[in-house]
Amino acid sequence: MIVKIERMDHLGNGIGYLNGKIIFVPKTISGDIVKILNYEEHKKYSQAIDYELISLSQERVEAFCPYYEKCGGCHLQNMTYEDTLEYKKNRVHNILAKAGITNDIEVIANQNDKYYRNKIELKIKNGKLGFYEKKTHKLTEVESCAITKKAINNFLPELLKMNIQNGEVTLRCNYNDELLIAIQTDDKIILNEDVYPKYKVVGIILNNTCIYGEKYFLDKINNMFFEISYDAFFQVNSYINSQLFDLISQNCKGATVLDLYSGVGTLSLMASLNAKNVYAIENIPNAVVNAMKNAKINNVNNVKFILGNVEDKIQYIDEKIDTVIVDPPRRGLDNITINKILSLSPAKIIYISCETQKLAEDLKKLQEKYEVNKLSILDMFSYTYHVECVTVLNLKK
């Protein structure tokens, strides 16, 4: 069964037609022609399981990573970097247009589209290290990752010497190529402390207990330093994070700012430079501890950090708020938080989102009192379908 790929969906899959129904074909792009060997048929669509490429699209390029076809991490390495940006711009436009939002979209490209990730999560099964294939628990064994910082890749051979047979490992890298390593396993691991200074290992945490060095390290974005615990949220792309900082600085105005889902305080501290007071709400204790230390490190004394769930703690905010910053998890904002924001009626909302569909749903609710003034795409996750959006909303007059 021969199928021509007509377009791409929002998850990076090619879309064609088979027997009068849409069929999704992973890791294909518009213009490819494929022979479907095996597929799953559903009521309204089909999903290709196995296929052969018969004819290649003129836009197709060879993936730079040898694990691309099996690994579930990257989705768009069969396109040029410039084409991935155009794909993401169209993707965001199409999703937001359904919510009535048709603003021009600014695209902020990655400075380095390879070796940019400062954090990586790996699986270990039967002593082998790698990533799961998409939507499976089948391991793709890897020696390195072409979108992850080289300092992390350089340590992977040492990781295999630690006698981890089964488990998960998260490696983080800062501006100075220092490493923070968190391991989850039931195995008795072997430490080789003599070699860790060579790789700038700051700390190793086993099952949430520090067994070497520290539980945190310092990272630097623009002119600010941040203490980051092994389990705290921090953006995986340092360059794009610096561009996000600039957007916050340019758009965060007014005497009082409310930062929701504030993490280790990065955006709160940036907002503090242009505000009289900042309230920051976060529900991860270690992140709040980091945030308080980060305020001291950067000599910031006008931010109040609040530990707790946003939907609970926001109810205690009753003073005039000029700007609200929201950077929620993928599930977006809950109705309690949205209603409270609407009742506070800040002059400006800065909404940072890594899930465009949820962003569209939330913006549709916020349009009751707000209009979109500026929309930017930051290529935080190059060669994946994931998109980081920054939307600036102004209170309607």
Side-chain angles (χ1 to χ4, degrees):
M1 294 170 283
I2 305 300
V3 171
K4 181 178 180 180
I5 304 303
E6 305 288 347
R7 61 188 188 279
M8 296 175 66
D9 72 1
H10 297 154
L11 301 179
N13 299 301
I15 296 178
Y17 292 88
L18 180 65
N19 300 327
K21 286 197 301 189
I22 281 177
I23 184 168
F24 296 100
V25 186
K27 296 190 175 178
T28 58
I29 66 173
S30 300
D32 282 342
I33 297 176
V34 300
K35 181 179 180 181
I36 304 297
L37 303 177
N38 187 23
Y39 67 97
E40 290 180 350
E41 189 166 3
H42 301 267
K43 186 176 181 180
K44 294 184 178 181
Y45 68 94
S46 296
Q47 176 70 51
I49 304 299
D50 193 17
Y51 64 90
E52 291 180 357
L53 280 165
I54 302 300
S55 178
L56 304 183
S57 168
Q58 291 184 347
E59 280 71 46
R60 175 179 277 272
V61 299
E62 185 176 352
F64 54 82
C65 175
Y67 312 111
Y68 170 67
E69 293 299 332
K70 291 185 177 181
C71 176
C74 293
H75 319 100
L76 304 175
Q77 284 192 25
N78 47 18
M79 305 169 69
T80 66
Y81 181 63
E82 291 72 22
D83 284 349
T84 68
L85 296 180
E86 188 65 23
Y87 161 80
K88 293 182 180 186
K89 183 177 180 179
N90 292 334
R91 175 179 182 267
V92 171
H93 171 79
N94 292 338
I95 292 174
L96 294 185
K98 293 178 181 179
I101 300 163
T102 57
N103 297 63
D104 291 338
I105 300 173
E106 173 193 27
V107 178
I108 299 176
N110 200 352
Q111 184 181 46
N112 299 301
D113 55 287
K114 302 176 184 67
Y115 302 112
Y116 66 87
R117 283 190 66 100
N118 58 37
K119 178 183 176 183
I120 188 173
E121 298 175 7
L122 293 161
K123 311 294 183 182
I124 300 180
K125 294 182 71 174
N126 300 319
K128 295 182 178 180
L129 183 73
F131 301 100
Y132 284 153
E133 294 182 19
K134 188 176 181 181
K135 295 183 179 180
T136 75
H137 285 85
K138 185 177 180 181
L139 189 77
T140 296
E141 190 176 4
V142 304
E143 294 182 358
S144 64
C145 174
I147 61 169
T148 297
K149 293 188 74 172
K150 292 181 180 180
I152 292 177
N153 283 316
N154 291 341
F155 187 77
L156 297 188
E158 290 298 328
L159 193 61
L160 290 172
K161 298 176 183 177
M162 297 177 74
N163 194 43
I164 307 170
Q165 296 303 305
N166 294 282
E168 299 180 358
V169 181
T170 300
L171 299 97
R172 308 181 81 142
C173 181
N174 67 5
Y175 77 105
N176 197 32
D177 285 341
E178 294 170 323
L179 300 181
L180 191 61
I181 302 163
I183 303 167
Q184 293 288 328
T185 184
D186 293 329
D187 299 321
K188 185 175 181 179
I189 72 169
I190 298 172
L191 293 181
N192 188 5
E193 298 185 17
D194 291 341
V195 305
Y196 296 156
K198 170 185 174 183
Y199 295 98
K200 296 185 179 181
V201 177
V202 172
I204 298 175
I205 298 89
L206 174 63
N207 300 330
N208 301 313
T209 298
C210 186
I211 60 173
Y212 173 84
E214 303 289 347
K215 283 188 173 183
Y216 62 87
F217 61 16
L218 287 179
D219 209 344
K220 181 182 180 182
I221 303 293
N222 292 358
N223 294 317
M224 285 190 165
F225 286 91
F226 300 95
E227 179 180 294
I228 304 166
S229 290
Y230 73 98
D231 59 347
F233 172 78
F234 200 73
Q235 296 286 10
V236 302
N237 188 322
S238 299
Y239 171 76
I240 293 296
N241 207 10
S242 73
Q243 301 303 299
L244 174 59
F245 273 32
D246 289 343
L247 285 174
I248 296 297
S249 179
Q250 294 162 13
N251 292 283
C252 195
K253 307 297 181 183
T256 306
V257 175
L258 176 60
D259 182 15
L260 306 179
Y261 315 94
S262 54
V264 299
T266 54
L267 303 185
S268 305
L269 299 186
M270 181 56 59
S272 74
L273 301 178
N274 295 322
K276 183 177 179 181
N277 296 299
V278 179
Y279 296 99
I281 303 176
E282 170 60 44
N283 69 349
I284 298 177
N286 269 352
V288 175
V289 171
N290 288 157
M292 295 173 70
K293 290 183 179 179
N294 291 334
K296 291 182 179 180
I297 291 170
N298 292 285
N299 297 315
V300 172
N301 55 21
N302 60 338
V303 181
K304 181 178 181 180
F305 297 101
I306 302 168
L307 173 63
N309 293 325
V310 166
E311 62 270 25
D312 297 329
K313 298 301 181 180
I314 195 175
Q315 301 305 322
Y316 297 97
I317 304 295
D318 56 7
E319 63 184 279
K320 183 180 184 299
I321 300 296
D322 299 292
T323 300
V324 171
I325 304 170
V326 296
D327 188 3
R330 291 188 182 279
R331 64 178 179 273
L333 298 174
D334 59 88
N335 287 329
I336 293 174
T337 301
I338 288 178
N339 290 335
K340 180 63 176 180
I341 292 173
L342 290 173
S343 71
L344 289 171
S345 299
K348 184 172 289 188
I349 300 171
I350 305 173
Y351 192 135
I352 301 146
S353 173
C354 60
E355 177 46 69
T356 311
Q357 188 62 53
K358 289 297 182 183
L359 171 65
E361 295 172 9
D362 289 346
L363 292 181
K364 196 169 185 179
K365 297 172 184 176
L366 291 169
Q367 282 182 107
E368 174 187 327
K369 297 179 71 171
Y370 290 85
E371 58 187 3
V372 175
N373 179 56
K374 182 179 178 64
L375 180 60
S376 302
I377 289 176
L378 292 83
D379 192 31
M380 187 77 72
F381 314 99
S382 301
Y383 294 105
T384 78
Y385 62 74
H386 298 294
V387 179
E388 192 86 358
C389 293
V390 178
T391 308
V392 180
L393 300 99
N394 291 340
L395 187 66
K396 292 178 180 178
K397 296 180 180 180

